[in-house]
Amino acid sequence: MTFQDLNLNTPLYNALDDLGFVTPTPIQAESFSVVASGKDVVGIAQTGTGKTLAYMLPILRNLKYSRQDNPRVLVLVPTRELVVQVVSEIEKFSKYINNRVLGVYGGTNINTQKQAVAQGQDIIVATPGRLYDLAVSRVLQLKSIQKLVIDEVDVMLDLGFRHQLLNIFDILPERRQNIMFSATMTKDVDDLITDFFINPSKISIAVSGTPLENIKQVRYDVPNFYTKVNLLEHLLQDKDEFSRVLIFVAYKRMADRLFDKLEELFPNETCVIHSNKTQNYRLRSIEQFREGENRLLVATDVMARGLDIDDVSHVINFDTPDYPENYMHRIGRTGRAEKEGYTILFSTEKEQEARERLEELMQMSIETLELPQDIDISTELIEEERPQLQERYNPIKRRDEDAPGPAFHEKKDKNKKENLGGSYRREIAKKYKKPKTRGDKNYNRRNKKK
Ligand code: AMP
């Protein structure tokens, strides 16, 4: 099957030609007619399978030219990084189409975004919080939305966006097409579908838990953090082979710790992203990695999910994730768009159980490699690895260091200001010495009539 078999139009064919895309990926081939039919759709596909194009192609194909200000397509994604990425994908495919696309997300000046919205848009790509704020401010009118796409729903629900999603559903027109993509089916996702989707068509490419076949997986048993660092150093010395390496760790502190080590070992080759880093820092890190300026990127699970970075030569699981789904997401960063991928898993003694669980999910065992001879086996332990003698069992204490807390929505200083009401109102108040509100206006009008 080629794109010629899909009922596209010349502008789209030209854009695809420019990008060198010839064959639709399986999710694209399956989704096209279903999404185009206007029915509600639930797609289960891992990132890297080409799912952005799977929903955007039929949408762009059917989006008529319009001068109306209110957007007609709304794409919700969980992170700001994804907003940037999806907007850039849409722009590539829209190269020969006269449409207006805008990405909006929190942590940046809302007034600039309001101005952009007010200019009139066709497609809005947004994180839920900022989208809701814009809608409540009435600058963004959602009454013309015909298609709602929610991408990476599982991540979105993981991050606690359910409430915000429901708020948004409330203000959207009832007659609309719902299109949803998720990498995994979870109970939360299922509940959301049952509550809000009308008899959706399900398209499932890789059943959750099925690794992409073009990813070679191997693993090492490694006793502790420092030995893992030694093994990593050994592997990464082969710069031709390990040309673009994404290294996953479970939580922020570990990300920083590993980043510091790698900076020592491979100066100016490493960058890091996690949710305590500022938006600009994260975008810069991703850019440096994507452009090949930096060869190594250390990332936590939540930050890296959904990221589309081409040609990742290796995904290294510096630890073994507790949730097998996270492993699936991690390894999905390599072997994208049907290219060969390679992933390596490090497991300590403590992590063997988690490793068994993920092998069970995949129904395969990962090939085990012997530690290379010249690796120093360290006996030094990091804080988390030392026996916790003092620690008593305390069911109330939660180990939620990496829970996506407020830092995820971290605001710039200038946005932390208290909301004093619209600046217009304050300016007028300064000028006229008393607040001039609609209330006053009516009062004055009434008084005038008398
Ligand atoms: P996604 O799963 O949407 O994040 O897409 C993964 C990557 O594959 C993106 O960089 C796309 O530009 C690329 N891609 C999507 N569809 C195709 C295709 N049919 N042929 C080649 N590359 C594609």
Side-chain angles (χ1 to χ4, degrees):
M1 187 179 192
T2 69
F3 282 111
Q4 296 298 329
D5 299 317
L6 302 180
N7 177 21
L8 299 177
N9 52 21
T10 317
L12 281 172
Y13 280 127
N14 289 342
L16 288 170
D17 267 355
D18 287 359
L19 291 167
F21 292 3
V22 183
T23 335
T25 62
I27 190 84
Q28 290 163 3
E30 280 210 37
S31 307
F32 188 82
S33 59
V34 193
V35 175
S37 76
K39 282 192 64 173
D40 280 4
V41 181
V42 175
I44 303 291
Q46 292 162 12
T47 327
T49 51
K51 65 189 165 62
T52 317
L53 194 49
Y55 59 76
M56 274 333 294
L57 262 191
I59 290 178
L60 291 174
R61 166 71 179 83
N62 292 337
L63 192 69
K64 303 253 174 344
Y65 174 76
S66 162
R67 286 172 177 228
Q68 78 163 66
D69 285 345
N70 298 334
R72 288 166 293 155
V73 178
L74 173 62
V75 182
L76 294 176
V77 296
T79 63
R80 307 163 193 172
E81 285 79 358
L82 264 173
V83 171
V84 174
Q85 185 178 299
V86 170
V87 167
S88 106
E89 286 270 290
I90 298 178
E91 280 169 352
K92 276 191 251 161
F93 306 132
S94 308
K95 193 166 163 194
Y96 303 102
I97 307 174
N98 195 358
N99 62 13
R100 300 157 296 174
V101 186
L102 177 68
V104 291
Y105 46 80
T108 46
N109 190 329
I110 193 167
N111 290 322
T112 325
Q113 292 179 352
K114 281 182 182 169
Q115 281 162 14
V117 169
Q119 283 173 4
Q121 301 294 339
D122 297 305
I123 304 175
I124 299 273
V125 183
T127 47
R130 178 52 61 93
L131 191 273
Y132 189 67
D133 290 346
L134 285 167
V136 167
S137 80
R138 303 202 153 261
V139 176
L140 177 61
Q141 297 281 338
L142 298 179
K143 60 187 178 200
S144 304
I145 295 292
Q146 298 159 355
K147 294 178 194 296
L148 167 70
V149 180
I150 319 178
D151 201 354
E152 303 267 338
V153 193
D154 48 351
V155 184
M156 204 163 307
L157 296 175
D158 260 12
L159 293 178
F161 280 135
R162 182 181 162 86
H163 192 66
Q164 268 152 333
L165 283 181
L166 300 193
N167 282 341
I168 294 169
F169 290 169
D170 265 352
I171 47 175
L172 285 172
E174 256 180 57
R175 264 179 65 96
R176 60 169 197 261
Q177 181 184 16
N178 297 303
I179 301 159
M180 196 190 86
F181 276 84
S182 183
T184 46
M185 250 334 248
T186 61
K187 180 160 185 316
D188 288 347
V189 175
D190 206 27
D191 288 349
L192 193 77
I193 298 169
T194 326
D195 292 347
F196 294 98
F197 281 51
I198 304 160
N199 194 17
S201 300
K202 282 199 183 147
I203 305 164
S204 184
I205 292 306
V207 188
S208 44
T210 316
L212 302 171
E213 276 165 15
N214 52 335
I215 300 174
K216 166 118 176 101
Q217 305 181 51
V218 298
R219 66 177 205 89
Y220 289 96
D221 287 328
V222 198
N224 49 37
F225 174 83
Y226 285 107
T227 315
K228 283 180 176 181
V229 172
N230 295 343
L231 174 59
L232 195 58
E233 181 188 7
H234 172 90
L235 295 170
L236 295 179
Q237 268 159 4
D238 187 346
K239 296 190 183 184
D240 290 337
E241 176 73 18
F242 288 77
S243 58
R244 198 188 299 250
V245 186
L246 192 45
I247 305 159
F248 279 102
V249 292
Y251 49 96
K252 296 168 211 167
R253 185 141 55 108
M254 191 62 99
D256 283 331
R257 188 187 273 141
L258 182 60
F259 173 69
D260 291 344
K261 280 270 143 214
L262 288 175
E263 264 288 285
E264 265 169 46
L265 297 168
F266 302 98
N268 302 321
E269 289 187 70
T270 316
C271 38
V272 60
I273 49 169
H274 60 64
S275 52
N276 265 2
K277 298 286 180 198
T278 63
Q279 172 68 8
N280 279 341
Y281 186 98
R282 282 188 258 154
L283 284 177
R284 203 171 50 236
S285 288
I286 293 165
E287 216 37 52
Q288 284 170 346
F289 185 65
R290 188 179 272 149
E291 297 297 320
E293 264 173 66
N294 280 332
R295 176 168 74 101
L296 316 172
L297 175 63
V298 178
T300 53
D301 290 295
V302 173
M303 279 328 298
R305 269 169 86 164
L307 274 187
D308 171 30
I309 296 167
D310 281 338
D311 293 331
V312 170
S313 67
H314 294 73
V315 164
I316 296 185
N317 296 275
F318 191 79
D319 52 35
T320 307
D322 268 343
Y323 296 99
E325 289 81 9
N326 286 351
Y327 179 78
M328 306 311 298
H329 286 291
R330 288 176 174 192
I331 69 172
R333 318 288 88 229
T334 179
R336 292 167 75 72
E338 300 180 7
K339 283 184 196 137
E340 275 282 300
Y342 199 97
T343 183
I344 304 173
L345 174 70
F346 293 176
S347 316
T348 60
E349 185 75 44
K350 255 200 202 152
E351 292 172 324
Q352 294 302 330
E353 241 175 74
R355 193 255 310 159
E356 280 165 18
R357 276 200 303 275
L358 66 91
E359 287 184 332
E360 201 175 307
L361 177 81
M362 295 188 293
Q363 298 192 324
M364 61 170 277
S365 55
I366 304 169
E367 183 189 345
T368 314
L369 302 183
E370 290 293 320
L371 277 185
Q373 291 289 323
D374 46 349
I375 298 289
D376 265 349
I377 308 287
S378 172
T379 48
E380 197 183 336
L381 298 178
I382 54 168
E383 197 187 318
E384 292 94 314
E385 290 170 340
R386 288 183 213 132
Q388 310 268 308
L389 290 178
Q390 252 74 327
E391 187 106 351
R392 296 236 182 93
Y393 173 64
N394 179 356
I396 292 164
K397 191 173 165 198
R398 282 171 46 199
R399 249 209 74 147
D400 55 1
E401 192 192 353
D402 210 40
F408 195 76
H409 302 282
E410 165 198 329
K411 291 181 172 171
K412 282 192 180 162
D413 282 344
K414 66 181 163 75
N415 290 334
K416 283 182 187 155
K417 278 187 288 188
E418 198 183 332
N419 187 354
L420 300 171
S423 62
Y424 170 75
R425 195 189 281 186
R426 263 180 283 137
E427 266 163 41
I428 295 294
K430 235 187 285 163
K431 206 162 160 188
Y432 294 99
K433 305 281 189 294
K434 63 172 190 180
K436 188 167 181 170
T437 62
R438 187 176 292 168
D440 286 331
K441 227 178 353 188
N442 290 340
Y443 177 80
N444 292 337
R445 204 182 291 147
R446 268 199 307 275
N447 280 356
K448 224 184 256 173
K449 270 189 204 153
K450 273 183 200 162

